[in-house]
Amino acid sequence: MVGLASLYMVGGFLLLLSGFILFLIGVVFLVNGYSIFLDWEFLSINSTCMTMTLLFDWMSLVFVGCVFLISSMVVYYSESYMYSDSDSVRFYFLVFMFVMSMMMMIMSPNLISILIGWDGLGLVSYCLVIYFQNYRSYSAGMITILTNRVGDVAILLAIAWMLNFGSWHYVYYVFTWDVWSYFLILLIVLAGFTSSAQIPFSSWLPAAMAAPTPVSSLVHSSTLVTAGVYLLVRFSFMFQNLDCSLLLMLSMLTMFMSGMGANFEYDMSSIIALSTLSQLGLMMSILFMGFPLLAFFHLLTHAFFSALLFLCAGLMIHVMSDSQDIRHMGCLVDQLPFTCTCFMISNFSLCGLPFMAGFYSSDVILEMVMSSSYNFFIFFIFFISVGLTVSYSVRLIYYCVCYNSNLYVCQNYYEDSLMMKSMILLVILSVCGGSSLSWFLFCCPIFLVLPLVFSVMPLVFVVLGAWFGYELSFSNFSLSAYSMSYYFISLFMGSMWFMPSFSTYMLLGPSFFLSKGYYEVMDGGWGEYLISKSFLFWSSFFSKLSSFYYYNNLKLFIVVFMIIFIFILV
C-alpha cells in the first residue's frame, strides 16, 4: 500500500505542478496575444510524412491548466477514497488516461486528432462507469458509450465532409462560409449535443453516476460533458451565419427540465448530476445567443465548484454506508464540519451568491440575456431556471445539513486529512476563481446600464427560489404528500420528462419489433427467394438437370430419338 500511496501522490503532484504552469503560460499568452501552432513530424517514409499538430493558444492552455488542477485534487482524493479497493492501481491509470484524452482533445486544431481524444474519452469513461461490476453499472455504461458513439459518427462524417476544404485543420476555416458549411456545423452541433447531454440525449448523464465519485467529479465538471461545449466554442464563428433558434430552444429546455427534475429527486448524486446538466444547458444557451467567451468563462467557473460539490457529496455518501437518499441524512454538520462547510460554499457558488465564482459568470450571462433582443419566452425560461437552481440547492442543503436527524444507528464518520486537503484548493477556486478569470478574460470590464427592475430581477429570483426550495423541503411525514395528489405531474417532472424511457426502453421494444418485421419482409420474404436466392436456385436447377442427363444419357438418347422419329413420320 506504500507504493500505491506514493503512486497517487506523485501523479497528483505532477498534475498539480503541470496545471499551475500551463495556467500561468495561458495567462501570459492571453495578455500578450501569443499563439503557437506546432507541427510535429513523427514519421516519414519515402514521400509520405505523418504529423501531429498541436495548438497552444490562451484558450487551450487555460482550459488544460484548469483540468489538470481539478484532476490533481481528484487524484489526491482518490488515494484515500479508493484505499481499500483491490484494483486501485487500475483505477489510477484509467483516470490518468481519461485526463490525457481530454488534453489531446483540447490541444488539437485537427478534427482527426480531436476524434482520437474524443474516442479516448468515450472508451475510458465506459471502463470507469462499469468499474463497480454490477448490472446497474453495465446498463449505465452501455447507454453512456452508445450515446457518445452518435457523436463519434457525427465527427467522422464531419471529417469526410471537410475534404471539401482540403485540410482537416478546422482553425483555418472557421472564419469562412460556403453553402455546404451548413451540413458541417450541423454535424459538429450533433457531436456537441451528445457529449454535453442536451435534449434528446440527456438520459446518459445521470446514468453515468454509477461510476466512483472521483470519476463522477471529473466527468461532470471539466472533462467529458464539457468537451462538446468546448468544441462548439471553437466553431462559434460559424454560428454567425446560422439561425440558432431551434438549438437555443433545445438547450434552454434542457436547462429548465433538469432544474425542474432536481427538485423532485431524492437521490443525492442524481440531484448533483442534474445540476450539472442545468449548467450545461446554460452554457449552450448563451453560446447559441452569440457569446462564446461567456460560455467558456462559465465553463471554467462551473468546473471549480462542481468538482468540489461532487467530492463533498462523495464523502457524505461514503460515511452514510453508501446510502444516497437525502432523506436518510440530516445534521451532518455535527459530524462532518469541514466537509459540510465546503459543501455549502460550492452550493452558494452554484446559486450565484454575490462575489462567489459562479456569480461572476452567471450574472453577466443574465445581463446579456436581458440586453439582447430575444423574446419573452427565452427571458422567462432563463430566470425560472435560475430560481430552480437556487431551489434544489437550498433543498439539498436543508435535507443534508440542517434537517432533523434521520441517521442510521451505526455509522463511521471520519474526515480524512488527505480528502480535506484536496478540497482546500477547490474551495479557493470556487471563491476566487470567478473574479480572477474575469480580470484575465475581459480586457475591459463589461459594463451594462439596465433599469432598476432588470438589475434587481436576478436577486429577486434567487430569493424566490430559496423560499420555494425551503417550502419543498419543509414537510412532515405525518402530513399528506401533496405530490401524490398530482402524481402524474410529479412523475413526469421527476423523471426528466420520461427521457430515459424514450432513449432506452421505448426505443428497445419497437426497434426489436421493427427489425423482426424487416427480417420477415426482406431476409425471410419473397425478395430473398426471388432476388437473393435466384442465382443459387437456377444454378442448382441446371446442375441437377445436367447430372440427371449425365447419369441417364442412354435412355434420354433413345427417348429423344423416338420423339424426333415420330415428328418426322407425322
Side-chain angles (χ1 to χ4, degrees), residues 12 54 64 132 163 190 199 206 259 283 299 374 395 436 451 454 504:
L54 299 173
V64 170
F132 296 133
L163 286 173
L190 177 61
I199 289 176
M283 296 173 209
L299 175 64
Y374 284 94
R395 178 171 171 265
S436 305
F454 283 4
T504 51

Side-chain angles (χ1 to χ4, degrees), residues 1-18 68 70-101 124-125 127-128 131-132 212 214-215 218 418:
M1 284 298 180
V2 176
L4 174 63
S6 61
L7 179 70
Y8 274 89
M9 298 300 285
V10 169
F13 176 73
L14 288 177
L15 284 173
L16 181 65
L17 187 63
S18 306
F68 278 11
I70 294 169
S71 304
S72 66
M73 296 299 105
V74 169
V75 169
Y76 278 138
Y77 181 90
S78 304
E79 194 273 322
S80 179
Y81 190 86
M82 307 296 290
Y83 183 77
S84 58
D85 194 276
S86 57
D87 297 318
S88 49
V89 176
R90 180 176 66 185
F91 177 81
Y92 169 79
F93 283 110
L94 282 173
V95 171
F96 193 75
M97 287 167 59
F98 197 64
V99 176
M100 291 300 109
S101 299
V124 180
S125 69
C127 297
L128 288 167
Y131 185 81
F132 296 133
V215 174
L218 267 182
L418 199 55

Side-chain angles (χ1 to χ4, degrees), residues 143-455:
I143 191 173
T144 300
I145 195 168
L146 289 177
T147 307
N148 282 284
R149 289 314 89 184
V150 177
D152 289 347
V153 172
I155 291 185
L156 278 169
L157 292 173
I159 287 172
W161 199 244
M162 275 196 74
L163 286 173
N164 292 303
F165 283 131
S167 168
W168 288 302
H169 289 74
Y170 69 89
V171 291
Y172 295 153
Y173 308 113
V174 290
F175 303 103
T176 62
W177 184 258
D178 207 342
V179 178
W180 49 263
S181 300
Y182 182 76
F183 301 102
L184 173 67
I185 200 66
L186 284 183
L187 290 169
I188 297 297
V189 166
L190 177 61
F193 267 45
T194 54
S195 173
S196 298
Q198 304 297 298
I199 289 176
F201 307 106
S202 302
S203 57
W204 75 262
L205 191 63
M209 292 299 298
T213 302
V215 174
S216 300
S217 70
L218 267 182
V219 168
H220 292 80
S221 66
S222 57
T223 49
L224 182 59
V225 295
T226 59
V229 181
Y230 177 77
L231 189 64
L232 291 182
V233 168
R234 285 293 195 184
F235 278 88
S236 58
F237 286 101
M238 283 191 166
F239 290 119
Q240 297 171 2
N241 303 286
L242 279 180
D243 181 14
C244 300
S245 302
L246 176 63
L247 305 175
L248 175 60
M249 188 189 73
L250 288 176
S251 53
M252 275 196 328
L253 289 179
T254 305
M255 176 172 59
F256 177 72
M257 176 266 298
S258 50
M260 185 66 75
N263 282 287
F264 288 90
E265 188 65 62
Y266 285 101
D267 189 332
M268 188 181 197
S269 57
S270 295
I271 292 173
I272 302 175
L274 288 170
S275 79
T276 302
L277 187 55
S278 176
Q279 299 301 308
L280 287 169
L282 179 63
M283 296 173 209
M284 285 287 193
S285 303
I286 199 66
L287 175 63
F288 291 131
M289 281 188 179
F291 303 103
L293 189 58
L294 283 183
F296 183 69
F297 181 30
H298 191 65
L299 175 64
L300 296 180
T301 56
H302 166 261
F304 299 145
F305 61 75
S306 180
L308 178 61
L309 194 59
F310 272 101
L311 295 187
C312 298
L315 182 56
M316 289 180 181
I317 293 169
H318 205 49
V319 301
M320 290 297 299
S321 305
D322 296 328
S323 172
Q324 300 183 4
D325 199 325
I326 58 176
R327 290 169 292 189
H328 294 162
M329 302 177 187
C331 292
L332 281 177
V333 70
D334 296 335
Q335 285 84 16
L336 307 171
F338 182 81
T339 305
C340 287
T341 304
C342 299
F343 186 70
M344 297 278 283
I345 289 172
S346 57
N347 266 301
F348 287 154
S349 187
L350 171 64
C351 294
L353 195 74
F355 311 115
M356 307 286 280
F359 166 77
Y360 287 91
S361 54
S362 57
D363 191 65
V364 173
I365 287 174
L366 289 176
E367 288 179 350
M368 287 298 181
V369 170
M370 286 188 284
S371 62
S372 64
S373 58
Y374 284 94
N375 56 25
F376 178 74
F377 174 73
I378 292 175
F379 187 87
F380 179 75
I381 291 290
F382 257 90
F383 278 92
I384 290 295
S385 301
V386 167
L388 291 173
T389 301
V390 182
S391 172
Y392 63 70
S393 301
V394 169
R395 178 171 171 265
L396 188 61
I397 291 171
Y398 189 80
Y399 266 101
C400 298
V401 180
C402 313
Y403 201 42
N404 58 347
S405 187
N406 296 320
L407 309 180
Y408 294 137
V409 177
C410 298
Q411 298 289 356
N412 180 22
Y413 295 104
Y414 68 94
E415 284 188 321
D416 190 87
S417 61
L418 199 55
M419 287 186 176
M420 291 165 65
K421 288 174 185 173
S422 65
M423 293 177 193
I424 290 173
L425 177 63
L426 292 176
V427 167
I428 295 171
L429 292 174
S430 298
V431 176
C432 307
S435 57
S436 305
L437 284 170
S438 66
W439 296 333
F440 292 140
L441 296 184
F442 306 112
C443 55
C444 57
I446 297 177
F447 183 71
L448 291 174
V449 180
L450 296 170
L452 179 62
V453 178
F454 283 4
S455 301

Side-chain angles (χ1 to χ4, degrees), residues 26-82:
V27 171
V28 171
F29 275 42
L30 174 62
V31 171
N32 296 301
Y34 291 159
S35 182
I36 296 178
F37 197 85
L38 180 67
D39 257 342
W40 171 39
E41 184 179 315
F42 60 90
L43 183 64
S44 179
I45 300 175
N46 295 333
S47 61
T48 303
C49 62
M50 300 184 70
T51 60
M52 180 71 203
T53 312
L54 299 173
L55 175 64
F56 299 99
D57 64 344
W58 70 267
M59 187 176 284
S60 60
L61 287 170
V62 166
F63 194 21
V64 170
C66 292
V67 169
F68 278 11
L69 287 175
I70 294 169
S71 304
S72 66
M73 296 299 105
V74 169
V75 169
Y76 278 138
Y77 181 90
S78 304
E79 194 273 322
S80 179
Y81 190 86
M82 307 296 290

Side-chain angles (χ1 to χ4, degrees), residues 126 129-130 136-148:
Y126 173 71
V129 169
I130 65 167
R136 179 172 174 267
S137 297
Y138 290 151
S139 303
M142 285 308 295
I143 191 173
T144 300
I145 195 168
L146 289 177
T147 307
N148 282 284

